[in-house]
Amino acid sequence: MKLNTTLLTAALVLACGMSHAVTLRVANQGDAQSMDPHSLNESLQLTFTGNVYEPLVGRDKKLAVIPALATKWSQPAPTVWRFELRQGVKFHDGTPLTADDVVFSFKRASADGSDMKGYTSTFKEVRKVNDSVVEIETTSPFPILPDAISLVYIMSKKWCEDNKATTPVDRRKGIENTASFKANGTGPFRLKERQPTTRTVLVRNLNYWDKVESNVDEVIFTPIGNDATRVAAMLSGEIDVMEPVPLQDVERIKSNPNLKVMQGPELRTIFLGMDQKRDELQFSSVKGKNPFKDVRVRRAFYQAIDIETIKTRVMRGAATPTGLMIAPGVKGFVPELNKRFPHDPEAAKKLLAESGYPNGFEVGMNCPNDRYVNDAEICQAVAANLSRIGVKVNLQAETKGTYFPKILSRNTSFYLLGWTPATYDAHNPLTSLMATPTDKGQGQFNLGWYSNPKVDELSLKIQSETDQAKRNAMIREAFEIHANDVGHIPLHQQALAWAVKKNIDLVQLADNFMPYRWITVKSSPQ
């Protein structure tokens, strides 16, 4: 009798636990491309894997730097940063976190194939002091180093070695390894199931070192590329959280008594890039030369674009036109430089004629159709604008799964991209987007190979300058040079729009990250 009572009690406890398990169903227009945290420097990729893996230095709900796997850091010398590791942290397989894992992870993030090497381009050496202390020595003073490593996630050296995943997954070459489909981090959630392009399931890490402000036990992430299908799933209750909300459906979702739309500014800048490197432009009717090497052609393209119509018709007002490659709120933003060249098709035609293309030319354009808000529609509008000055754009809009490998290998003539500075500092886009590409990581996302020696010089000085007034003056000078060169064509900062059930509380960050550890599901009213 005593045995039967014990078994009954255990069964009731198990049943109660199961009945209170909370599953969160999240949908996005795209999928995380890999479970490898060093494989793609893209917000959706990093926010998803950031639930499984962690950096030394994290961010709080206001995007301020806070301790994560490192509890404190200091500068024993101008070019040396010392990080003390958190004690008692274990990877999901039970292996303790040590300095060896940190040294290994930074080396891996700096390796060929890594999309994160731009964050480590200033590193001279990462060394183990003891099992719980690591030092990072830089080639010159780098005052924002803690900010710069907040997205470099730490992996288990032993797990990577055991699973033959010591090198990063190279998205440019389509190379996969175990880290593409499996994961072993220290984060608040563990990877349970991975079905690329279909669904990925995370479950709570019950041995997590920190308090989790969430009651979510399981997250089912589903990519739903079709806007209408995604909205229908939200309205029918099949999913709990959705982003982005198609702009044309914002009011429809708001009118549903069980749903809410969370909207806010985003730090991401959407821009166009042009191949300024090749002597003959690929995917073009022009032979033997590259029109984009001529600043007059680049400016003609810029002035042909009707940004106000894109804002009102394509973006339905949910965009802020910009003349700079960074948004307000990013450290180093210069308000007085945030002015666009005027939309002037006649001036654009004149510039094309002066540069030797009175009848325009044909050029291919690459664009994603499931990454940014109305990305394909933006490219269609740009193509229509350019047709009015005689430029025929052969637009190829495609899923980001094929788009990113193509443009990241610089197999493009004209492309659209979005960028949120991971450091929330102007230094990041200067070194990642505007500096001349090098094998050390500078200019890693300068896909059109814009190059100006003065911008390179200023970027290096900005990196080391500790006097804020001098630093701001150099940032201003670099942005002004880039704008006059028309190194890129900035378009706008898009706005965030997430759809959420009303019984769910979450934090919307301006960098478009969605940490599941800050999501709470309340009991639905009966």
Side-chain angles (χ1 to χ4, degrees):
M1 183 69 180
K2 182 177 180 181
L3 177 61
N4 288 342
T5 303
T6 302
L7 289 172
L8 178 62
T9 302
L12 287 171
V13 169
L14 180 61
C16 289
M18 290 177 66
S19 67
H20 287 91
V22 177
T23 295
L24 181 75
R25 299 163 300 174
V26 181
N28 193 288
Q29 67 179 355
D31 194 12
Q33 296 300 296
S34 172
M35 293 299 97
D36 189 325
H38 304 149
S39 65
L40 186 63
N41 186 17
E42 183 233 1
S43 296
L44 175 58
Q45 171 83 15
L46 293 169
T47 183
F48 190 86
T49 54
N51 292 293
V52 177
Y53 291 97
E54 297 177 289
L56 294 183
V57 179
R59 300 276 178 181
D60 65 12
K61 295 175 184 178
K62 295 183 179 180
L63 298 180
V65 167
I66 58 170
L69 294 181
T71 55
K72 62 176 68 173
W73 46 92
S74 58
Q75 273 191 281
T79 59
V80 177
W81 286 84
R82 178 172 294 167
F83 293 87
E84 297 182 26
L85 304 186
R86 191 175 297 277
Q87 299 298 298
V89 176
K90 293 185 178 180
F91 288 96
H92 296 159
D93 65 357
T95 305
L97 169 75
T98 70
D100 292 325
D101 301 303
V102 176
V103 173
F104 164 79
S105 296
F106 279 114
K107 181 179 179 181
R108 189 180 191 275
S110 305
D112 288 343
S114 168
D115 220 28
M116 308 303 290
K117 64 166 58 178
Y119 299 113
T120 63
S121 62
T122 62
F123 290 10
K124 180 179 180 181
E125 183 186 9
V126 181
R127 53 182 173 259
K128 172 183 175 179
V129 176
N130 57 49
D131 279 348
S132 58
V133 178
V134 169
E135 287 185 345
I136 299 176
E137 183 177 355
T138 55
T139 54
S140 60
F142 190 27
I144 63 167
L145 185 139
D147 299 82
I149 62 172
S150 64
L151 291 177
V152 181
Y153 300 147
I154 304 304
M155 302 182 75
S156 163
K157 180 175 185 285
K158 182 179 184 302
W159 183 87
C160 288
E161 290 173 344
D162 290 347
N163 288 278
K164 296 180 174 57
T166 54
T167 56
V169 172
D170 192 339
R171 298 297 305 169
R172 292 163 178 79
K173 298 178 181 177
I175 298 172
E176 306 281 7
N177 61 37
T178 305
S180 306
F181 310 105
K182 296 182 180 181
N184 180 38
T186 59
F189 288 85
R190 296 185 294 107
L191 179 64
K192 177 183 179 182
E193 178 186 343
R194 171 66 173 165
Q195 297 182 39
T197 73
T198 303
R199 79 179 212 155
T200 304
V201 181
L202 303 181
V203 293
R204 276 282 291 274
N205 173 19
L206 299 180
N207 297 314
Y208 186 54
W209 58 267
D210 196 11
K211 177 184 176 183
V212 177
E213 300 175 36
S214 172
N215 63 343
V216 173
D217 299 293
E218 179 183 62
V219 179
I220 300 175
F221 179 91
T222 307
I224 306 176
N226 182 275
D227 285 349
T229 304
R230 197 166 67 253
V231 170
M234 192 76 217
L235 292 171
S236 67
E238 294 175 45
I239 56 177
D240 305 308
V241 180
M242 179 189 88
E243 71 103 359
V245 178
L247 299 175
Q248 66 272 17
D249 293 304
V250 169
E251 294 306 319
R252 181 183 174 198
I253 292 176
K254 280 183 177 178
S255 67
N256 187 300
N258 299 316
L259 305 177
K260 58 186 175 182
V261 175
M262 299 177 66
Q263 294 174 284
E266 186 176 5
L267 296 178
R268 186 187 316 279
T269 298
I270 305 296
F271 63 91
L272 302 173
M274 300 149 285
D275 176 4
Q276 300 164 53
K277 170 72 170 177
R278 291 179 175 88
D279 291 328
E280 179 176 294
L281 188 63
Q282 288 183 307
F283 316 117
S284 170
S285 60
V286 179
K287 302 304 175 186
K289 57 197 295 192
N290 182 346
F292 287 139
K293 283 179 175 281
D294 191 324
V295 67
R296 294 171 297 182
V297 173
R298 302 196 296 272
R299 178 155 177 165
F301 272 51
Y302 192 138
Q303 293 200 250
I305 296 171
D306 185 352
I307 197 65
E308 288 300 324
T309 298
I310 290 175
K311 173 186 173 181
T312 56
R313 294 186 184 176
V314 177
M315 299 298 291
R316 296 175 182 252
T320 303
T322 182
L324 284 173
M325 295 287 283
I326 59 172
V330 174
K331 191 175 181 180
F333 180 78
V334 189
E336 55 271 30
L337 291 184
N338 192 29
K339 298 175 182 177
R340 294 181 58 81
F341 291 123
H343 170 230
D344 191 338
E346 293 306 313
K349 287 179 183 178
K350 185 178 179 183
L351 285 166
L352 279 183
E354 289 175 0
S355 54
Y357 307 98
N359 300 314
F361 55 90
E362 288 187 35
V363 65
M365 183 180 189
N366 297 103
C367 186
N369 59 17
D370 59 0
R371 179 59 194 99
Y372 311 112
V373 178
N374 287 359
D375 39 18
E377 291 84 351
I378 293 168
C379 291
Q380 289 164 4
V382 168
N385 290 164
L386 291 170
S387 70
R388 298 189 182 104
I389 65 168
V391 174
K392 181 183 178 183
V393 173
N394 298 312
L395 177 60
Q396 183 176 354
E398 59 192 309
T399 177
K400 68 176 191 173
T402 54
Y403 171 76
F404 278 121
K406 183 181 298 178
I407 67 161
L408 291 176
S409 60
R410 296 186 168 87
N411 189 27
T412 181
S413 294
F414 186 38
Y415 62 92
L416 178 137
L417 194 63
W419 192 263
T420 303
T423 59
Y424 313 108
D425 187 285
H427 169 264
N428 175 266
L430 279 168
T431 57
S432 296
L433 300 175
M434 303 178 213
T436 303
T438 70
D439 58 5
K440 292 185 177 180
Q442 287 99 333
Q444 187 175 7
F445 298 91
N446 180 359
L447 307 179
W449 212 285
Y450 162 75
S451 182
N452 186 304
K454 186 61 178 178
V455 171
D456 295 341
E457 177 190 336
L458 287 166
S459 297
L460 288 174
K461 289 181 177 178
I462 290 163
Q463 178 175 291
S464 304
E465 184 55 65
T466 56
D467 185 301
Q468 199 58 53
K470 291 181 180 178
R471 191 173 191 269
N472 286 340
M474 289 189 287
I475 290 171
R476 179 192 180 107
E477 184 180 358
F479 280 157
E480 198 162 17
I481 293 169
H482 177 267
N484 290 333
D485 285 346
V486 195
H488 298 80
I489 302 175
L491 296 176
H492 58 246
Q493 281 94 35
Q494 64 184 30
L496 293 171
W498 299 356
V500 186
K501 285 185 176 178
K502 284 188 176 178
N503 67 317
I504 293 176
D505 290 331
L506 52 72
V507 178
Q508 187 178 62
L509 301 172
D511 60 359
N512 202 25
F513 275 49
M514 187 188 295
Y516 299 146
R517 63 179 295 185
W518 293 336
I519 299 180
T520 303
V521 181
K522 296 175 289 187
S523 297
S524 300
Q526 300 298 317

